[in-house]
Amino acid sequence: MTDTAPRHPRRSALCLLGGAIALTAAAPLRAHAREGHAVPAREGRGPGRNARVEGLLARLTLDEKISLLHGATDPRPLGQAGYVPGVERLGIPPLRLADGPAGVRVTRHATALPAPVMLASAFDPDLARRYGRVIGREGRALGQDVLLSPMVNLIRTPYAGRNFETFSEDPLLTAHLVAAEIEGIQDEGLIATVKHFALNNQERDRMSVDVRVDERTLHETELRGFEAAVAAGAGAVMGAYNKVNGTFACENAALLTGVLRERWGFTGFVMTDWSAAHSTREALLAGCDLEMPDGTHFGAPLASAVRDGGVSEAHVDRAVRRVLAVMDRFGLLDGTVPHRRGRDAAAGAAVAREVAEAGATLLWNTDGTLPLTAGGSVAVIGPTGARPLVSGGGSAHVVPDHADSPLDAIRPRAARVIHALGEDVFGKPLPANLLDPALATEAQHVEPGRTWRYDGTLTVDATETWTLVLHYSGTPPLRPRVLLDGEELFPLKPGWDEYFTGGLLTHADDGLSVRRRTLTLTRGSHRLSVTARGADPGGLFRLRRITEETRAQDVAEAVRAARAARDVVLFAYEDAIEGQDRTTVALPGNQERLIEAVTAANPRTTVVLNTSSATSMPWLERTGAVLQMYYPGQEGAAATAAVLYGDRDPGGRLTQTFPADDDHHPVAGDPRRYPGVDGTEHYTEGVHIGHRWYDAEDVRPLFPFGHGLSYTSFAYRDPDARWTGDGLDVAFTVRNTGPREGVDVPQVYAGPSPDLPLVQPVRVLAGYRRLALRAGEERRVTVRVERRTLSSWDPQQNDWVLGTGPRTLWIGESSRDLRLRIRVRVGG
């Protein structure tokens, strides 16, 4: 449908009731190119027109073809996520696939970049491109061929455990950033994989949840980032674990063929997420090409299906052709693997620090609390003050070149630094008088090949909540078995969950692995049994506890430190791990109580948040400042200190709305929206995702999308907008009205079209610009608003429709801080 085609009323079903129009019931998808749609990337070529690929395909045996369609065991592993063997006799090299949302995850050292959500906070596609180049170069240098990144799923719920690995709740910002990062990755010769296609917006029940979504919601929200990735030339797409409208994503023909290939023109290959395949014939025919990490469905079962006539070899050839075509595009089939440049650790570190500084988001600042004055006295409080929280756990874990602590970065700037733990996340030793017979729980050594046992009694004086903390050496199967009253406290997690660990809380300072269990112990005696096996060269374990008593001791120590210093920098944390959602937006553990006590003792307290996603702050108004640093990577300590002391203006803005509490956000109070009921989840919020929902429902957030403070101030004036035929040019003047240089991120929002009889958002993010201005400097800027942003998806026409007519534009510093307003006619 063109923008000049006649328009007519739509049925009420188009008003976006979740699941009203399923993808599987959509009108047939047209394969021809049309204005505004993604086309094959400039490097891509039709799979049937590549002579080298066709020549190889003709010489491959069936077994060799199938070996290229599933993962296998790497004979020379580097700790990467996956391996696909090549065919040596034909010069087809193997492929090594590494995780990499924030750096290359292998066993060797790599640059640990800030989390993607922090990158996104800079609102800077050029920075995203350079971020991608660091990963691209290092991935190649570390022997990898395919990067399993970037993740582009939208932030839909604040509870999602991987929110830190993705960019934003907003489709436009996400699309811009993913395209730029992919360009950077692939400019260095590494194949980028955009993931997880599609609607993998939570970790809870991610392997099985059935996401029900209507066609318009899908296209206007989640798919926009994936489409931008395809337009940027992404070599690979990873299918998601979940179902979409009743069909697993990795065998969903409507997505993998109808949308991805026929509508968008994708010419790369599609792989499964790890163990996300559920079939052989259905997945292959739907458009899945590569099963990872093994051949459960695309190995021997596929060979048998072809030989038995259940699957045509032509479908095998199609998948192999797609894999080989991407390899050829990246120079892997010309007989020699392209040169792998060595790592440039210094350059990687410089980008890591730049991203951490650019994404640092100042949420709150009263009475000039920040920036701090050099040479004063500072109390540094909190476990992440003395222990760097570099990244989240799971696929995002990177082995950094180094990672200093914020405490070390602050010390040279202050005349006196006092440190208090505030919350001992690794526990205190068990008092000897509580155990009978006596047990030295701090350093139990187990000889190689021996089994060590303890059976005794643990006696507590009062009923209270304990967290028992086990520290141990060795691999998970050798974890000591601890039973309390017959219940195993630290059982191995099923499947891959045991291995998706990492981050702050899972390893002690001396490298021992750590597991925790919180339970209520009743007053009296409890039977305690411990069994430990010693592997070569032996084992070591500790058993500790966290109780109300130990927490009170930690808080009292922190209060004493706060009173003894002019300023307090309190580091708060939330340790996110792949495979697990949060249960609340509140800070975990005893941190709220800690912040309340410390701010009561010293109101000049800055809370630095090393968290994955939105956080509630009932303590906010008692603090002097709040600085959001997410997971800032290996250079996070230096970047944090630079922002705290004003060497750098905090340049970040929120890419997700922060709700006031657990009761006021888009999925609150509706289990059908999250986490789902009876295995099914409904996206009934429709196109009103993120900040759009807060506007539609008139709910006041704690901090709005786009919010972020500067150490200076800015004013906007003289707005103007004009229609160019394929979008809007919105011009206005920005002036730095404060006393120092600073960073501003003016944002343009567009209101609904009066000509579209569809339910539309109150306003959508339409464009933005990142600016650095000197004190007193002013600049005339123009923000481009794309035609797509001004369009809505019409399921009846199976196409985008421009929202014509007079439309309101707002210019401001966040979705709620709107400074200027202007009307402009779109179209005609």
Side-chain angles (χ1 to χ4, degrees):
M1 175 178 180
T2 65
D3 296 317
T4 57
R7 300 179 179 88
H8 44 77
R10 276 65 169 175
R11 296 187 299 271
S12 60
L14 298 186
C15 292
L16 293 182
L17 294 176
I21 305 172
L23 263 180
T24 52
L29 294 169
R30 296 187 295 251
H32 61 272
R34 50 177 72 77
E35 180 185 6
H37 291 157
V39 296
R42 58 186 182 276
E43 302 93 342
R45 292 171 290 192
R49 296 193 298 272
N50 187 320
R52 177 182 283 132
V53 169
E54 294 305 310
L56 288 170
L57 193 59
R59 298 169 62 193
L60 287 164
T61 68
L62 176 61
D63 287 341
E64 287 171 337
K65 292 174 185 177
I66 289 174
S67 73
L68 294 170
L69 301 184
H70 64 82
T73 301
D74 189 346
R76 298 191 305 276
L78 296 169
Q80 78 275 6
Y83 171 82
V84 179
V87 180
E88 186 175 359
R89 75 177 183 89
L90 296 179
I92 300 174
L95 290 175
R96 288 182 168 85
L97 303 84
D99 284 314
V104 184
R105 192 185 85 150
V106 294
T107 53
R108 297 180 184 175
H109 289 283
T111 300
L113 293 158
V117 71
M118 191 169 202
L119 166 69
S121 299
F123 279 68
D124 188 346
D126 181 65
L127 186 58
R129 190 173 290 106
R130 289 187 285 121
Y131 182 99
R133 285 182 183 139
V134 170
I135 300 176
R137 177 168 180 172
E138 295 204 348
R140 293 281 298 150
L142 292 166
Q144 305 305 300
D145 307 291
V146 181
L147 184 77
L148 305 174
S149 184
M151 178 178 172
V152 73
N153 302 105
L154 294 181
I155 297 175
R156 176 177 177 262
T157 166
Y159 303 131
R162 298 179 80 174
N163 281 348
F164 67 96
E165 289 189 52
T166 191
F167 298 109
S168 172
E169 69 186 19
D170 187 83
L172 174 71
L173 179 61
T174 296
H176 288 175
L177 296 173
V178 73
E181 185 180 341
I182 285 172
E183 289 169 0
I185 292 166
Q186 297 192 158
D187 281 349
E188 296 292 334
L190 192 67
I191 300 167
T193 306
V194 64
K195 63 184 187 183
H196 310 82
F197 192 60
L199 300 170
N200 184 178
N201 305 117
Q202 66 189 61
E203 293 299 278
R204 184 166 171 179
D205 301 326
R206 67 175 179 170
M207 306 291 289
S208 60
V209 67
D210 182 8
V211 178
R212 300 299 177 104
V213 62
D214 65 84
E215 187 179 338
R216 184 184 167 208
T217 295
L218 184 62
H219 279 275
E220 290 194 25
T221 60
E222 178 85 352
L223 290 190
R224 186 161 186 182
F226 286 100
E227 183 179 4
V230 170
V237 169
M238 180 187 290
Y241 283 121
N242 50 277
K243 296 176 182 176
V244 177
N245 292 326
T247 304
F248 279 109
C250 289
E251 54 189 51
N252 193 308
L255 282 176
L256 302 184
T257 297
V259 172
L260 185 61
R261 296 195 184 276
E262 295 181 355
R263 174 166 289 278
W264 296 343
F266 177 64
T267 59
F269 63 85
V270 174
M271 73 177 78
T272 70
D273 204 336
W274 267 227
S275 303
H278 293 269
S279 63
T280 300
R281 184 178 186 275
E282 292 81 359
L284 186 69
L285 268 60
C288 188
D289 306 306
L290 177 64
E291 180 188 9
M292 295 303 295
D294 54 31
T296 300
H297 297 281
F298 278 21
L302 178 55
S304 297
V306 172
R307 292 184 174 111
D308 294 345
V311 172
S312 168
E313 191 167 351
H315 285 99
V316 173
D317 289 350
R318 182 183 69 175
V320 173
R321 183 179 289 115
R322 291 166 175 170
V323 173
L324 292 180
V326 174
M327 295 179 70
D328 187 49
R329 172 183 154 192
F330 283 81
L332 301 178
L333 296 182
D334 61 1
T336 59
V337 175
H339 174 66
R340 297 181 186 270
R341 294 196 296 163
R343 287 187 63 217
D344 187 340
V351 171
R353 177 160 177 175
E354 183 181 358
V355 172
E357 291 173 352
T361 306
L362 184 60
L363 300 178
W364 180 262
N365 193 22
T366 61
D367 299 325
T369 300
L370 291 182
L372 300 177
T373 301
S377 61
V378 180
V380 176
I381 296 171
T384 50
R387 179 186 177 91
L389 181 46
V390 174
S391 69
S395 299
H397 182 71
V398 178
V399 181
D401 289 309
H402 66 270
D404 295 332
S405 72
L407 180 62
D408 290 335
I410 290 171
R411 275 196 171 114
R413 297 172 176 268
R416 185 166 66 103
V417 174
I418 309 164
H419 174 247
L421 204 53
E423 183 184 31
D424 187 348
V425 295
F426 296 105
K428 299 283 196 297
L430 282 171
N433 64 341
L434 301 185
L435 293 169
D436 184 26
L439 170 65
T441 60
E442 267 302 279
Q444 276 294 339
H445 291 272
V446 183
E447 297 297 324
R450 302 292 296 273
T451 298
W452 182 95
R453 291 186 176 86
Y454 172 84
D455 286 293
T457 300
L458 170 66
T459 302
V460 296
D461 296 332
T463 299
E464 61 179 330
T465 299
W466 279 35
T467 297
L468 284 165
V469 187
L470 176 69
H471 301 216
Y472 66 95
S473 62
T475 57
L478 294 177
R479 180 187 307 160
R481 192 164 183 253
V482 181
L483 283 78
L484 190 68
D485 294 330
E487 179 185 1
E488 187 168 357
L489 297 184
F490 310 103
L492 291 175
K493 297 178 181 178
W496 289 97
D497 290 349
E498 185 62 44
Y499 299 91
F500 283 133
T501 57
L504 173 74
L505 301 179
T506 56
H507 289 85
D509 288 334
D510 59 1
L512 294 189
S513 298
V514 176
R515 294 293 183 269
R516 295 166 180 78
R517 176 67 180 275
T518 299
L519 66 167
T520 299
L521 289 181
T522 57
R523 181 177 182 274
S525 298
H526 301 267
R527 183 183 175 189
L528 178 66
S529 176
V530 183
T531 304
R533 290 180 292 134
D536 188 25
L540 173 69
F541 75 89
R542 295 186 286 260
L543 190 61
R544 293 182 173 181
R545 67 168 186 166
I546 301 172
T547 66
E548 284 300 311
E549 178 185 357
T550 66
R551 284 174 167 155
Q553 293 169 0
D554 293 337
V555 170
E557 179 192 15
V559 167
R560 288 192 294 270
R563 287 173 176 160
R566 179 180 186 272
D567 294 288
V568 177
V569 182
L570 191 157
F571 289 83
Y573 72 92
E574 178 250 320
D575 197 28
I577 296 176
E578 179 183 356
Q580 177 178 306
D581 280 352
R582 307 159 76 193
T583 58
T584 175
V585 293
L587 289 170
N590 198 46
Q591 293 181 96
E592 288 192 352
R593 176 181 167 190
L594 172 65
I595 293 171
E596 290 167 356
V598 168
T599 53
N602 188 336
R604 289 187 58 81
T605 295
T606 295
V607 176
V608 177
L609 293 170
N610 291 132
T611 53
S612 71
S613 191
T615 303
S616 61
M617 305 178 197
W619 36 264
L620 177 66
E621 294 188 359
R622 293 188 291 276
T623 64
V626 178
L627 178 64
Q628 177 70 52
M629 290 300 294
Y630 297 104
Y631 301 150
Q634 69 180 46
E635 305 300 321
T640 300
V643 173
L644 288 174
Y645 280 91
D647 302 348
R648 295 290 182 271
D649 198 46
R653 303 297 184 264
L654 289 182
T655 70
Q656 58 191 301
T657 308
F658 275 35
D661 52 44
D662 287 303
D663 298 323
H664 297 89
H665 57 74
V667 300
D670 188 348
R672 294 187 312 145
R673 288 189 182 178
Y674 176 85
V677 176
D678 297 327
T680 301
E681 184 177 45
H682 295 267
Y683 282 30
T684 54
E685 69 273 22
V687 296
H688 303 294
I689 190 169
H691 58 93
R692 302 176 182 182
W693 179 87
Y694 288 87
D695 290 340
E697 300 295 327
D698 195 24
V699 173
R700 183 177 180 179
L702 178 63
F703 294 113
F705 174 88
H707 171 73
L709 304 176
S710 167
Y711 291 147
T712 186
S713 57
F714 300 91
Y716 305 152
R717 61 179 175 82
D718 300 332
D720 181 63
R722 65 184 184 91
W723 172 250
T724 66
D726 62 350
L728 291 171
D729 284 338
V730 183
F732 52 96
T733 299
V734 183
R735 180 179 178 83
N736 182 342
T737 57
R740 53 175 288 163
E741 180 179 1
V743 174
D744 190 33
V745 184
Q747 300 147 44
V748 176
Y749 293 84
S753 163
D755 294 345
L756 288 180
L758 301 169
V759 173
Q760 299 171 67
V762 174
R763 63 183 63 90
V764 299
L765 178 69
Y768 52 89
R769 176 69 69 85
R770 182 181 178 88
L771 303 170
L773 297 177
R774 298 184 302 275
E777 181 183 3
E778 72 175 29
R779 190 178 305 169
R780 187 73 176 170
V781 299
T782 299
V783 173
R784 181 68 177 166
V785 178
E786 303 159 19
R787 183 187 187 99
R788 172 62 62 83
T789 301
L790 300 168
S791 302
S792 295
W793 179 265
D794 184 345
Q796 286 191 346
Q797 299 297 324
N798 193 40
D799 215 335
W800 293 93
V801 181
L802 180 65
T804 57
R807 301 184 67 166
T808 301
L809 300 177
W810 293 268
I811 301 164
E813 295 209 322
S814 77
S815 65
R816 291 295 177 95
D817 184 0
L818 303 170
R819 309 284 182 84
L820 302 176
R821 177 173 173 167
I822 188 173
R823 296 276 283 179
V824 63
R825 177 167 291 277
V826 172

